[in-house]
Amino acid sequence: MRRIILGAPTENDILHHALCLHALLAIGNALLLEGKKFSDDQLSVFKVSLNQITAYVAELEQSFREWHHGISETELAKSRRAIFSATA
C-alpha cells in the first residue's frame, strides 16, 4: 500500500506487484474451483460463500487490469488530457 498506492512505485515495485497478483489469482481461482464442490452450508463453516470468493477473484482481476494494462504513460497522459481537460 505504502509503495504502490501512496508512493511512487519503481519498475521493480510494479513487477513485484504483478507477481503477487498472479499468485493471489492462482490461489483465488483454485479456491473458486474447489469451492464449487461444496454447498453454501458447508462453506459457511469457514465463514465464506462462493459469491464472496467470486467477488474476491474479480477484485484481484480488476486490480491487475488497472495496474498492468500495457498502455504507456504517454498514452495515458494524452487520454487524461483529452478526457479531463475538455470544456463543458
Side-chain angles (χ1 to χ4, degrees):
M1 174 76 154
R2 182 176 48 84
R3 292 179 78 138
I4 300 295
I5 304 298
L6 300 176
T10 66
E11 183 179 342
N12 211 29
D13 291 334
I14 296 296
L15 291 173
H16 280 98
H17 183 259
L19 177 85
C20 289
L21 282 173
H22 279 297
L24 290 169
L25 280 164
I27 293 166
N29 280 303
L31 287 171
L32 191 55
L33 285 171
E34 292 301 311
K36 291 178 181 182
K37 297 177 182 178
F38 298 93
S39 69
D40 288 337
D41 287 339
Q42 290 171 316
L43 289 173
S44 71
V45 170
F46 302 104
K47 299 184 182 347
V48 70
S49 70
L50 192 58
N51 285 340
Q52 288 172 314
I53 297 170
T54 302
Y56 296 146
V57 171
E59 185 177 353
L60 290 168
E61 289 170 340
Q62 178 65 31
S63 182
F64 190 85
R65 285 191 302 272
E66 288 173 356
W67 282 94
H68 308 284
H69 43 68
I71 301 171
S72 74
E73 193 56 43
T74 303
E75 292 172 293
L76 286 173
K78 182 179 176 183
S79 296
R80 286 183 189 117
R81 281 192 303 277
I83 294 167
F84 299 112
S85 298
T87 56

